[in-house]
Amino acid sequence: MFADFTRALVLLVVAVPAWAGLPIQHWETANGARVLFVEAHSLPMVDVRVSFDAGSARDGARHGLASLTSTLLDQGTGERDAQAVAEAFENVGAHFGASVSQDAVTLSLRSLVDAARLQPALDTFTAVMAQPRLADEDFSRERERVLLGLRAAEQQPGEVARRAFYKALYGDHPYAFQPDGEAEALQGMTVADVRAFHQRHYVAASMVIVLVGDLSREQAGRIAEGLASAVPRGEPLSPLPPVAELAEGKTVHIPFPSTQATILAGQVGMARIDKDYFPLYVGNHVLGGSGFSSRLVEEIREKRGLAYSVYSYLMPMAVPGPFLMGMQTKLDQAEQAEGLLRGNLARFVEEGPSAAELEHAQKNIIGGFPLRLDSNREIADWLSILGIYRLPLDFLDRYPGQVKAATPETVRAAWQRRIHPDKIVMVIVGGPQQ
Amino acid sequence: MFADFTRALVLLVVAVPAWAGLPIQHWETANGARVLFVEAHSLPMVDVRVSFDAGSARDGARHGLASLTSTLLDQGTGERDAQAVAEAFENVGAHFGASVSQDAVTLSLRSLVDAARLQPALDTFTAVMAQPRLADEDFSRERERVLLGLRAAEQQPGEVARRAFYKALYGDHPYAFQPDGEAEALQGMTVADVRAFHQRHYVAASMVIVLVGDLSREQAGRIAEGLASAVPRGEPLSPLPPVAELAEGKTVHIPFPSTQATILAGQVGMARIDKDYFPLYVGNHVLGGSGFSSRLVEEIREKRGLAYSVYSYLMPMAVPGPFLMGMQTKLDQAEQAEGLLRGNLARFVEEGPSAAELEHAQKNIIGGFPLRLDSNREIADWLSILGIYRLPLDFLDRYPGQVKAATPETVRAAWQRRIHPDKIVMVIVGGPQQ
C-alpha cells in the first residue's frame, strides 16, 4: 500500500500538467446544443460523446423505454440492418457505443480523423442517433432480450436486492426503477412508444456534445453543428421531481434460496451539484469507498471474516442518488452483519474520520485522480458528466483542492447534515420465508 | 424473413470477392511459432492475436489456473502496475484484450500502424505477454475477484446447470471444468503456480501469431519474430486425452429455489477438425441453431409457448466439445419440456431435415457467412481459430461449398453416427429437493 501511495504522489507531480487547467472550450450550436471540446493532438483520433436528457428517469410509467430506445439505435437506419450498421463503423475503424443511466443516454464514437474515415463514421453515427429505423422486428427481438435479462436478474440475489433497495428508497420517484425496466411495462410497450420517446427526447435543447481529439476548433464547430442540426431543436425537459427524505427507517426482508444473505443498507445521498459533495465523498472513502483500507473492510472482513467484500458508495445523480453500503455474508451471520453496518455508520457519522484517516483518503483520492484523466476517453467521459450535470467547467481543475480542503470537522458536519443512521433502509435478500 | 434472405443473397454476390480466396500468408518464426498474416491496407491499423495452448484444459488439478494467469498478464510488468499498463496502451490509441477458453488463451491488440504508435504498443504487448510481473498482491486481488464471481455463479441457475452439464458429460476429462475454475482449487493456489504455468505454457512451440492489417510482409515478419523471440521456445504439449462416449444417458436434477426450471440436454458433439463438421453444423441450424425459424423454437415456443428461448448448438473444440440443447420453462412444465427436447431430437436424428429445411438453413448460413468476415477483427478471429486448431488455410474459402454440399441424407447420416438420443445427458436445475 505504501509503495502505491508513493507512486501515486510521484505521478501526481508528473501528471498534473496534463490536466491542471484542462483547456475546455465551450459553446452552443445554432439550435441550442451545448458543446465541450478539448483539442488533443497526440493521437490521430477523436472521441465523441453525445448525451441527451433521455435516461430512464424519463420513462414515465413505461419502465425500460429509455433503455430499449438506446439499444435500438444501432439496430438499423434506412435500408441498413444492425449488421450493416456495424460494418459501416468497422469499415472505417470506428467504434460505436451507447449507454443509458437514470439521468441520460450517451452515444459514443471513437474514429480516426483523416477525412476519408471521419466523415463516413460521423455520417453513420448521425444516422444512428437521429434516424434509427426503429423497426418492429428489431423492437420485438430487443425487448425479448431485455425480458430474458430481467428473468435472469430475478434469480440473482444481488439484483433482487438492488431493485428492492431503490424501490424502498425512492417510492414513487422515477429513480425507484432500474434503467432496464420492468417486465410488465415492457410487455405493454409498442414500437410506437419507442418512436415517440426518441422524437420527444433526442433533441438539441437537451443535447450535450463532447469532442476530444485531433481536431481544430473550426473542425469541432462544423462537426458539432452537423450533429446538432440532425435532431429537432425541441424543448428542455422539466427538472426531475425532488426526492423526499424518508420519515423513518425500514427493513425489507426478501426470502431467497441462497446460502448467502445479500445486504444493502443506505439512504438518499447526494446530487452531482451539491455543496457537500466533497466532504461526503472524501468521508465515504474512509468509511467504505477505498477498498482494502476502509473502516467497513477492517471491521467486517479483517477483524471478523464475515464477508469477502464490503463497501459503501455515494452515487451522485441529477437529484440526490443513493448512499449505499453493501455486503454478502452467510445466512446465519446476517443479523450480526446488519448490526455492524448500522453500528459503524452511526459511529462514523457521530465521530467523523480521524485526522490520519482523512489524510490517507485525501492522498489516495488526489493521487489517483490524474491517473483517471490521462486518456482522451477518460477526459471525454468526464466532459460528458460536466455537460449533463452543468457542473462548472473548472470542476476538474478545482477537484484536488476541494478534496484537500476537507477537514475532519467539515466531513463530520456534512455527514451529520445528510446521513441519519436512525433512518436506514435495510434490504436483506436470503433465507426462508419468515 | 424473406426480405432478409434476399438481402443476404444479394450481399453474398457482392461480398464474395472480399473473402473468397482470402490471401492468408503463413510461415514459422525462427523458434517455431506459427504465423498467419493477411495484408489489409484499407485502415491504418493492425489487429494482432497471439494464442497459446494454455487454456483451462491445461489446468491439471488447479482448476482456474489458466484463466487466472491470463487475467494477471496486464496487471503489471516490471515497474508498471495495472493502471500504468492500461495507460501505455491508451496513450498510443491501442486496445489490449485477453480471453481464455478450454483450448487456448488469446491475447489481442489493435494498434495504429504509424511507427510512433505501433512500436510502443507492441513493446507493451510483448511485456504483458512475456514478462508480466505476476505479483502476489495482484494474484490475491484477482483470485478474490474470481472467487466472488464463482459465488455469484452458484446463485444463477443457468451457471449451475452449465457446470453440472459439463461435469456429467466429461467425467474426468479436463473439459469437465469451466475456465474460471473451482473455488477449492483456487483457494489452494499460489502465485508460484501462476508463474510456473506461465513459464511452461507461454512458449513459441505452441504459439500462433495472427496479423491482419496495414503491414507489408516484411513488417509482419519482423513483428512476428519480435513477439516469438520474447518467449522461450518450449515444447509442444501432448494432445488432450480423447473423450469417452457415455455408455448410457443420465438425468441430473439439482434443486434450486427458482420459479423457472433451467434445462440443458445433450451429448458429446464434434471437434473442430471433424469430417462430419459441416453436416452436423448445417443440421443443427435446422434443429435449434437458427434462432426464430428452428424446429425447437417452432415446437416449444411457437406452438406451445413453453419458453421464451430455446436453442441448440455444437461447440467445436480441440477434442469433441458438447452438443447442447437448452431452455428455461416454468417448473410445472419442466417434464413436458424435457419430453419435447428428447422427442424432437429423436425425430430429427431419425428423419433428418427435409429438403426445404435444409435449403433454408444453407441459404441462411451461406448468406450470413461473408457478413461475418468483412472486418479485420473478424478475419483475425477466424485466423486464430485456423491456427489454434490447425485447420487447412483454405477452410474459409471452402466453407460455402461445404455447406452447400450437405444433403438431407448426409446430414441424417452424420447425426445418426454421432448423436444417440437414447444416451442423452439431461440437467434440470430448479424445483424442491426430491
Side-chain angles (χ1 to χ4, degrees):
Chain A
M1 240 352 159
F2 181 70
D4 271 351
F5 276 0
T6 312
R7 191 181 154 273
L9 290 172
V10 170
L11 276 170
L12 176 62
V13 175
V14 178
V16 163
W19 60 271
L22 190 70
I24 304 173
Q25 304 184 56
H26 179 250
W27 66 92
E28 283 199 4
T29 67
N31 62 357
R34 288 173 297 128
V35 188
L36 288 83
F37 169 50
V38 168
E39 244 179 281
H41 296 292
S42 63
L43 289 173
M45 291 179 165
V46 60
D47 284 286
V48 180
R49 303 278 183 278
V50 174
S51 304
F52 296 100
D53 186 349
S56 64
R58 303 302 185 179
D59 277 348
R62 293 186 171 79
H63 306 297
L65 180 55
S67 176
L68 192 55
T69 304
S70 73
T71 306
L72 281 168
L73 297 176
D74 67 346
Q75 295 302 299
T77 70
E79 295 299 303
R80 292 192 288 207
D81 65 7
Q83 176 73 35
V85 168
E87 281 163 37
F89 285 122
E90 184 64 42
N91 285 342
V92 292
H95 181 78
F96 171 81
S99 69
V100 69
S101 67
Q102 280 92 341
D103 289 334
V105 62
T106 298
L107 315 182
S108 63
L109 176 74
R110 167 167 272 202
S111 173
L112 298 163
V113 290
D114 59 299
R117 277 117 191 171
L118 179 56
Q119 198 51 53
L122 285 168
D123 289 347
T124 308
F125 183 83
T126 306
V128 160
M129 169 187 78
Q131 277 102 37
R133 67 178 183 182
L134 305 176
D136 208 30
E137 69 194 74
D138 300 327
F139 168 81
S140 302
R141 186 188 60 245
E142 292 303 310
R143 175 173 63 176
E144 177 151 322
R145 216 185 35 73
V146 177
L147 286 168
L148 278 171
L150 290 176
R151 294 174 81 157
E154 280 170 21
Q155 297 174 350
Q156 294 167 27
E159 279 298 299
V160 171
R162 191 160 65 103
R163 288 172 177 269
F165 180 79
Y166 274 80
K167 281 176 186 160
L169 213 57
Y170 285 104
D172 55 6
H173 190 275
Y175 283 177
F177 298 93
Q178 295 301 302
D180 52 359
E182 302 282 314
E184 202 182 336
L186 282 158
Q187 269 146 358
M189 226 175 264
T190 69
V191 73
D193 294 323
V194 173
R195 291 191 170 142
F197 185 87
H198 180 262
Q199 194 168 10
R200 169 74 186 90
H201 292 88
Y202 285 59
V203 297
S206 73
M207 184 182 197
V208 174
I209 301 169
V210 165
L211 301 165
V212 178
D214 189 13
L215 303 172
S216 66
R217 166 66 178 80
E218 195 199 333
Q219 286 175 300
R222 274 200 308 270
I223 291 169
E225 281 303 327
L227 290 168
S229 65
V231 296
R233 173 185 275 270
E235 296 288 335
L237 303 176
S238 313
L240 295 180
V243 177
E245 285 209 13
L246 289 174
E248 52 188 12
K250 56 178 144 176
T251 298
V252 179
H253 184 265
I254 301 173
F256 202 89
S258 48
T259 56
Q260 298 270 311
T262 301
I263 306 179
L264 295 180
Q267 297 188 334
V268 170
M270 68 188 181
R272 272 279 172 197
I273 296 235
D274 191 313
K275 69 175 172 42
D276 284 334
Y277 181 96
F278 285 96
L280 288 171
Y281 177 69
V282 178
N284 182 64
H285 216 72
V286 175
L287 176 65
S290 62
F292 286 114
S293 61
S294 76
R295 276 202 196 179
L296 292 178
V297 168
E298 178 62 23
E299 294 293 324
I300 290 174
R301 175 195 155 111
E302 299 303 323
K303 282 198 195 160
R304 295 177 184 84
L306 290 178
Y308 270 177
S309 144
V310 52
Y311 58 85
S312 67
Y313 62 81
L314 289 139
M315 172 92 85
M317 294 167 71
V319 293
F323 160 68
L324 184 49
M325 302 181 287
M327 63 181 288
Q328 280 197 335
T329 191
K330 287 189 190 139
L331 281 175
D332 59 8
Q333 298 170 331
E335 212 167 318
Q336 186 191 0
E338 186 189 328
L340 284 164
L341 287 178
R342 286 187 195 279
N344 276 288
L345 179 65
R347 184 160 75 87
F348 182 74
V349 171
E350 190 185 329
E351 298 172 4
S354 74
E357 285 176 320
L358 184 63
E359 196 190 336
H360 186 104
Q362 287 167 317
K363 280 186 180 163
N364 200 318
I365 294 169
I366 295 173
F369 188 66
L371 298 180
R372 298 199 304 270
L373 257 188
D374 65 349
S375 78
N376 293 353
R377 255 191 254 261
E378 289 161 317
I379 292 172
D381 288 340
W382 263 110
L383 294 196
S384 289
I385 290 172
L386 301 189
I388 292 167
Y389 296 107
R390 298 179 184 266
L391 293 167
L393 290 192
D394 63 354
F395 181 85
L396 298 171
D397 302 335
R398 296 177 59 225
Y399 196 105
Q402 302 267 58
V403 170
K404 227 179 284 181
T407 66
E409 293 70 35
T410 61
V411 169
R412 191 182 58 208
W415 279 74
Q416 288 185 352
R417 267 194 300 278
R418 310 300 290 274
I419 305 292
H420 308 293
D422 55 326
K423 295 179 190 167
I424 283 285
V425 167
M426 178 78 61
V427 172
I428 301 152
V429 174
Q433 197 83 41
Q434 283 177 336
Chain B
M1 242 348 156
F2 182 70
D4 270 353
F5 275 0
T6 312
R7 192 183 153 274
L9 289 173
V10 170
L11 277 171
L12 175 62
V13 175
V14 178
V16 163
W19 61 270
L22 190 70
I24 304 173
Q25 303 184 56
H26 179 250
W27 65 93
E28 283 199 4
T29 67
N31 62 356
R34 287 173 298 129
V35 188
L36 288 84
F37 168 51
V38 168
E39 240 179 284
H41 296 292
S42 62
L43 289 173
M45 291 178 163
V46 60
D47 285 286
V48 180
R49 303 276 182 281
V50 175
S51 304
F52 297 99
D53 186 350
S56 64
R58 303 303 184 178
D59 277 347
R62 294 185 170 80
H63 306 297
L65 180 55
S67 176
L68 192 55
T69 304
S70 73
T71 307
L72 281 168
L73 297 176
D74 67 346
Q75 296 301 300
T77 69
E79 295 300 302
R80 291 191 289 207
D81 66 5
Q83 177 74 35
V85 168
E87 282 163 35
F89 285 123
E90 184 65 43
N91 286 343
V92 291
H95 181 77
F96 172 80
S99 68
V100 70
S101 68
Q102 279 92 340
D103 289 334
V105 62
T106 298
L107 315 182
S108 63
L109 175 74
R110 166 166 273 201
S111 173
L112 297 164
V113 290
D114 59 300
R117 278 118 192 170
L118 179 56
Q119 199 51 54
L122 285 168
D123 290 346
T124 308
F125 183 82
T126 306
V128 160
M129 169 187 77
Q131 278 102 35
R133 66 178 185 183
L134 305 176
D136 208 32
E137 69 194 75
D138 300 327
F139 169 82
S140 302
R141 187 189 60 245
E142 292 302 311
R143 175 173 63 177
E144 178 150 321
R145 215 183 37 70
V146 177
L147 286 168
L148 278 171
L150 290 176
R151 293 173 81 156
E154 279 169 21
Q155 296 174 353
Q156 295 167 26
E159 280 299 299
V160 171
R162 192 161 64 105
R163 288 171 177 271
F165 180 79
Y166 274 80
K167 282 175 186 160
L169 212 56
Y170 285 104
D172 55 5
H173 190 275
Y175 283 178
F177 299 93
Q178 296 301 301
D180 52 0
E182 303 280 315
E184 201 181 337
L186 283 157
Q187 269 145 0
M189 227 174 264
T190 69
V191 74
D193 294 322
V194 172
R195 290 193 172 141
F197 186 86
H198 180 262
Q199 195 168 9
R200 169 75 185 92
H201 293 88
Y202 285 58
V203 296
S206 74
M207 183 182 197
V208 174
I209 300 169
V210 165
L211 301 165
V212 178
D214 189 13
L215 303 172
S216 66
R217 166 67 177 78
E218 197 199 333
Q219 287 175 298
R222 275 201 307 269
I223 291 170
E225 281 303 326
L227 290 168
S229 65
V231 296
R233 173 186 275 268
E235 295 289 334
L237 304 176
S238 313
L240 295 180
V243 178
E245 285 210 13
L246 289 174
E248 50 187 11
K250 56 178 145 177
T251 297
V252 179
H253 183 266
I254 301 175
F256 202 88
S258 49
T259 55
Q260 297 270 311
T262 300
I263 305 178
L264 294 181
Q267 297 187 336
V268 170
M270 69 188 181
R272 273 278 172 197
I273 296 237
D274 192 312
K275 68 175 174 41
D276 284 334
Y277 181 97
F278 285 98
L280 287 172
Y281 177 70
V282 178
N284 182 64
H285 215 75
V286 175
L287 176 65
S290 62
F292 287 115
S293 62
S294 77
R295 276 201 195 178
L296 292 178
V297 168
E298 178 63 23
E299 294 294 322
I300 290 175
R301 175 196 155 112
E302 300 302 323
K303 282 197 193 156
R304 296 177 184 85
L306 290 179
Y308 269 177
S309 145
V310 53
Y311 58 84
S312 67
Y313 63 81
L314 288 140
M315 172 93 85
M317 294 167 71
V319 293
F323 159 68
L324 185 48
M325 302 182 285
M327 62 180 291
Q328 279 198 335
T329 191
K330 288 188 190 138
L331 282 176
D332 59 8
Q333 298 170 333
E335 211 167 318
Q336 186 189 2
E338 187 190 327
L340 285 164
L341 287 179
R342 286 187 194 277
N344 276 287
L345 179 65
R347 184 160 76 88
F348 182 74
V349 171
E350 189 185 330
E351 298 173 4
S354 74
E357 285 176 320
L358 184 63
E359 194 189 337
H360 185 105
Q362 287 168 315
K363 280 187 180 163
N364 200 319
I365 294 169
I366 295 174
F369 187 66
L371 298 179
R372 298 199 304 270
L373 258 189
D374 64 350
S375 78
N376 293 354
R377 254 191 254 264
E378 288 160 317
I379 292 172
D381 288 340
W382 262 112
L383 293 197
S384 289
I385 290 171
L386 302 189
I388 291 167
Y389 296 107
R390 298 180 183 263
L391 294 168
L393 290 191
D394 63 353
F395 180 86
L396 297 171
D397 303 335
R398 296 177 59 226
Y399 196 104
Q402 302 268 58
V403 170
K404 225 180 284 180
T407 67
E409 292 70 35
T410 61
V411 170
R412 192 183 56 208
W415 279 73
Q416 287 184 352
R417 266 194 300 278
R418 311 299 290 274
I419 305 290
H420 309 292
D422 55 328
K423 295 179 190 166
I424 283 286
V425 167
M426 178 79 59
V427 172
I428 301 151
V429 174
Q433 197 83 41
Q434 282 177 337

